[in-house]
Amino acid sequence: MLWNRRMSLKLMLVKHEDALLGMQLNFGIGCVAVNSYMKISVERERVANDPKSIMPAAFVSFKTRWGAAVCAQTQQSRNPTLWLTEWAPEPRDVYWHNLAIPFVSLTVRRLIIAVAFFFLTFFYMIPIAFVQSLASIEGIEKAVPFLRPIIEKKFIKSLIQGFLPGIVLKIFLIVLPTILMLMSKFEGFISISSLERRSASRYYLFNFVNVFLGSIITGSALEQLNTFMKQSPNQIPRTIGVAIPMKATFFISYIMVDGWAGIAAEILMLKPLIIFHLKNFFLVKTEKDREEAMDPGSIGFNTGEPRIQLYFLLGLVYAVVTPVLLPFIIVFFCLAYVVFRHQIINVYNQEYESGAAFWPDVHGRIIGALIISQLLLMGLLSTKQAAQSTPFLIALPILTISFHYYCKGRFEPAFIRYPLQEAKMKDTLERAREPHLNLKGYLQTAYIHPVFKSAEDDEEEEIHGKWEHDAELVPTKRQSRRNTPLPSKFSGSSSPSLPEVVEERGQP
Amino acid sequence: MLWNRRMSLKLMLVKHEDALLGMQLNFGIGCVAVNSYMKISVERERVANDPKSIMPAAFVSFKTRWGAAVCAQTQQSRNPTLWLTEWAPEPRDVYWHNLAIPFVSLTVRRLIIAVAFFFLTFFYMIPIAFVQSLASIEGIEKAVPFLRPIIEKKFIKSLIQGFLPGIVLKIFLIVLPTILMLMSKFEGFISISSLERRSASRYYLFNFVNVFLGSIITGSALEQLNTFMKQSPNQIPRTIGVAIPMKATFFISYIMVDGWAGIAAEILMLKPLIIFHLKNFFLVKTEKDREEAMDPGSIGFNTGEPRIQLYFLLGLVYAVVTPVLLPFIIVFFCLAYVVFRHQIINVYNQEYESGAAFWPDVHGRIIGALIISQLLLMGLLSTKQAAQSTPFLIALPILTISFHYYCKGRFEPAFIRYPLQEAKMKDTLERAREPHLNLKGYLQTAYIHPVFKSAEDDEEEEIHGKWEHDAELVPTKRQSRRNTPLPSKFSGSSSPSLPEVVEERGQP
């Protein structure tokens, strides 16, 4: 079921032990579900009755959109760290482990992760160089002397010397998104979508420092940091700006090797294919197992999006300096559009819908890329014959920044708030059209911890099966609909009548 | 009347042409006053009926604190730039000229002022140097040749050469707070308190760059900017840090000349004294005129507070480096405490009460001063024998910044929001205690443009006179109570009964 906007507006996450009581006091409404976090699903009964396993966090549903909008946007208690109200993510999007982290702990975690990310970006070469030194011929011979006769053979020796150091770095770069995701999880975000958003912006920063800057000023990020700390601030754009035209050919080949080939690999889906065949060979016993093995998972926003944005940055930077790079970028974007459109419609099972919550991040990075390209252009021009007129270019970044602030004020509230005018209008409309609408049936089972759900799985499957026979919005060749069944009637423009709602009860 | 917290919680400023209609739609309450802005008070009648002179802004009062708290904290309309709701400042605090500036215009104004302030801080010496060159002996002789015989006299010549350049700079520094206040007014703040807050932070920045940094690295701010742009970032704290111990004696004399003498001048109140005697001689005709001439005005938060914070910064920076400076700072703060306490109780007539809205700014500047002192200490230590252990000091600014973020999350909401829990509690209490409380009488006349008020002045005076006979909280020798009469019974813990409220009607 696509995420149902109407539901989301009526649900909110409240963190506090007295949350339920307070909600009733302030809004005169009842609560729907307090979910316990359990480790052993066998002891479900015992744990459910144990007060220690009750989380100090609750999903609260409201009778009206207006009430939910008010509660999400206001401060509830005198101490702003005790009661926190947020819009609830959609049920599939909830990251259950982080629901009950208190405010002070969140502040400390954010600090720790900020410091850790700084070290990861600028000092990641140190452990890798250490491992690389171990993985050399001498290192291996010291560690496992009995392998010496094999290693000393000419073919294997050249293989180790040629590939091993590169492979260590490559393995790190493959593991990097997972590390960043773990960091985001430690930071305490409560929805998978916000975890991916934060990981994406970290991955973009890492790529910006280590791929973009790292290629222009050859050397590791640590050396760059050293260079920048010792250089004067107005010298930095000049140093980079002058190096940019010289690196154009490198980036053209980078776009072809990493960009075009990456898109081709995306459509090949080699990794899921291998995993499927391995699973098919060793694990699959029933038809249901096979369908589970076929599941390609959801599209990786935390790696795909920042990579595309890096090409956008390259395009902006080189648009004025070396326009010959632009056709390569355009080909990349055309390929990416065709391939990702196909993949999203026909292949991936999206885990959640977050209602375009990714866009403000993307917009911010585009603005950042614009400012970077303007600064580097200024640095480059100041070394050419246009040096006298360069200071006038300073108007560009200032105007860009003020445009960013304007957009922040004008459009960002649409992503984080919900205007009372609209809430009231929709409430009134709904009351007039369907005075007997009752969503309690749906809400009772919507926000239940996955542990409690296993028993209902089979029923769900049946319902899913039924959906597949209905009309489809976009014709798709997708094999499995485990996570993304067709859009529910809830999200359509016409509201369902009471019997339909009750029928859909129990669906996640 | 001290600003009445209960009133303020029920009033809110709404900016929109359909504001009144929309408010009624969302909250089902009526509006109290739409005030027109007029230029000619003689044509009051005609203008009051002219639709063109009606502002697209309104003060809205609510039946409950809860309603006001909800309305102030939420977004009302789909387009967040059309309807803006804010807590209303208290009636005396309203800056009427800026009430109706639309959102886009505000963004543009803020950008213009930010650029203008940058140029004011770093390039203010250019026009002053130009005027100084005009004000030299040769300049005057060229401009007004007939004065040559007088100027050529030895005494006057030395006077001009010695004092004139300094006087030009001094005049600029005296006019500076007024310039900053004009900039804040152009920026579009709607209350006098926020105007003063913004001017204060600008004045602090100007003093930090031109007094603190300007004295340490001798040279104008423009030259400093040049130095910093050409220096590497990790060199800047070192350059300043090394110069700091050498400037200790200068700052000791600065504290004595500017600080101690400034406090002494504060208690002398020379300027108001002269102005009073001039007015007394030329203008005063009746006893009321004399009382008006006696009015010393309100304490200048926009100049006094940033100056005190500059001494706080000096104390923090020199606490570790040259502790001998600290006794001078302590003497300054003791003097300032005694003098300002006396002045606030016995002399000044505070124009408004803003409910400690100044504190978050002050706190932010203290944190900033802490971080600056830590960075400079690191710069200094890295040149001494402790160079090896200096990097560990980097934990200090990181911890300070995270403390700042913690305070922002934990305590700042107390200044900008109003928790629903408390609002509801107070509403319930009030309904139980005084079911017939009716504030409409007070509210009808509270937010009226000063132009409309002149006719009621005499009545007010009578009421003020009555207040003076009541018991006083702090015994005061103040002569005039034009702006700060004794605290009203509204702000006390016990609420007034209906007759008292009606009696106080018409008081600003």
Side-chain angles (χ1 to χ4, degrees), chain A residues 416-461:
Chain A
I416 49 175
R417 294 178 149 197
Y418 189 59
L420 296 189
Q421 185 194 18
E422 274 198 347
K424 197 79 185 174
M425 258 163 54
K426 283 191 180 168
D427 280 340
T428 315
L429 218 67
E430 189 185 82
R431 255 206 310 279
R433 278 193 188 157
E434 299 145 88
H436 302 299
L437 181 71
N438 191 349
L439 290 170
K440 274 189 186 158
Y442 167 78
L443 291 170
Q444 205 133 30
T445 49
Y447 282 92
I448 282 190
H449 193 283
V451 170
F452 289 105
K453 273 201 176 157
S454 51
E456 296 150 27
D457 265 1
D458 293 336
E459 297 165 36
E460 273 177 50
E461 287 298 321

Side-chain angles (χ1 to χ4, degrees), chain A residues 126-420:
Chain A
I126 294 176
I128 286 176
F130 177 72
V131 174
Q132 280 174 344
S133 75
L134 280 188
S136 66
I137 296 283
E138 295 77 29
I140 294 175
E141 281 181 355
K142 253 188 198 166
V144 272
F146 53 86
L147 280 181
R148 188 174 303 189
I150 307 171
I151 291 172
E152 287 295 327
K153 275 178 190 162
K154 206 180 172 189
F155 170 71
I156 292 177
K157 193 174 180 178
S158 62
L159 201 75
I160 290 175
Q161 278 174 332
F163 279 99
L164 220 54
I167 283 175
V168 172
L169 181 61
K170 193 71 198 166
I171 287 174
F172 169 77
L173 290 179
I174 288 170
V175 175
L176 180 66
T178 318
I179 297 174
L180 292 175
M181 190 53 114
L182 282 176
M183 285 166 78
S184 304
K185 280 177 182 167
F186 180 76
E187 231 179 324
F189 292 101
I190 57 156
S191 65
I192 299 170
S193 59
S194 52
L195 287 173
E196 291 202 344
R197 277 206 298 284
R198 181 51 73 100
S199 301
S201 61
R202 293 242 165 84
Y203 193 60
Y204 178 74
L205 265 180
F206 188 91
N207 274 339
F208 173 72
V209 171
N210 288 298
V211 174
F212 181 72
L213 292 185
S215 308
I216 288 175
I217 313 172
T218 339
S220 74
L222 181 60
E223 288 165 33
Q224 287 170 44
L225 190 70
N226 206 12
T227 320
F228 289 146
M229 288 294 281
K230 286 194 177 140
Q231 227 167 13
S232 69
N234 68 343
Q235 204 61 42
I236 293 171
R238 202 174 292 174
T239 317
I240 304 173
V242 171
I244 278 180
M246 296 187 277
K247 291 287 174 181
T249 47
F250 166 77
F251 277 116
I252 288 175
S253 58
Y254 180 81
I255 290 166
M256 289 194 284
V257 172
D258 184 272
W260 297 6
I263 292 291
E266 171 69 40
I267 205 163
L268 264 182
M269 300 278 291
L270 209 64
K271 209 179 87 187
L273 187 74
I274 294 168
I275 290 174
F276 166 68
H277 279 292
L278 285 178
K279 273 189 182 169
N280 203 11
F281 197 77
F282 292 111
L283 296 172
V284 168
K285 290 185 189 77
T286 66
E287 270 303 307
K288 202 182 155 198
D289 280 356
R290 173 162 300 147
E291 195 167 304
E292 263 172 34
M294 287 279 280
D295 180 25
S298 69
I299 187 169
F301 275 122
N302 54 335
T303 55
E305 189 272 335
R307 212 176 277 163
I308 290 173
Q309 288 236 296
L310 190 72
Y311 291 109
F312 203 90
L313 170 70
L314 280 180
L316 284 175
V317 168
Y318 278 102
V320 188
V321 181
T322 319
V324 78
L325 190 130
L326 290 182
F328 294 89
I329 297 266
I330 290 172
V331 168
F332 167 77
F333 277 120
C334 291
L335 279 177
Y337 174 74
V338 172
V339 167
F340 276 109
R341 190 172 182 280
H342 170 266
Q343 301 291 86
I344 288 168
I345 294 175
N346 294 324
V347 178
Y348 287 120
N349 290 318
Q350 190 50 34
E351 260 182 90
Y352 59 83
E353 301 283 337
S354 63
F358 225 109
W359 177 247
D361 281 35
V362 174
H363 182 264
R365 285 201 276 276
I366 289 176
I367 295 280
L370 261 174
I371 291 171
I372 288 164
S373 73
Q374 288 157 358
L375 287 180
L376 296 186
L377 184 66
M378 280 166 63
L380 177 62
L381 283 189
S382 67
T383 62
K384 304 287 174 192
Q385 294 192 332
Q388 292 300 315
S389 56
T390 306
F392 292 101
L393 279 179
I394 214 163
L396 279 180
I398 291 175
L399 287 176
T400 312
I401 290 171
S402 68
F403 172 72
H404 176 64
Y405 278 108
Y406 170 74
C407 288
K408 230 182 151 59
R410 171 67 185 81
F411 300 111
E412 210 191 43
F415 292 91
I416 49 175
R417 294 178 149 197
Y418 189 59
L420 296 189

Side-chain angles (χ1 to χ4, degrees), chain B residues 120-131:
Chain B
L120 180 71
T121 309
F122 287 99
F123 297 93
Y124 78 98
M125 277 311 291
I126 293 176
I128 285 176
F130 178 71
V131 174

Side-chain angles (χ1 to χ4, degrees), chain B residues 41 44 288 448-461 506:
Chain B
S41 63
R44 197 183 296 171
K288 202 184 155 197
I448 282 190
H449 193 283
V451 170
F452 289 105
K453 273 200 176 157
S454 51
E456 296 151 26
D457 265 1
D458 293 336
E459 297 165 35
E460 274 177 50
E461 287 298 320

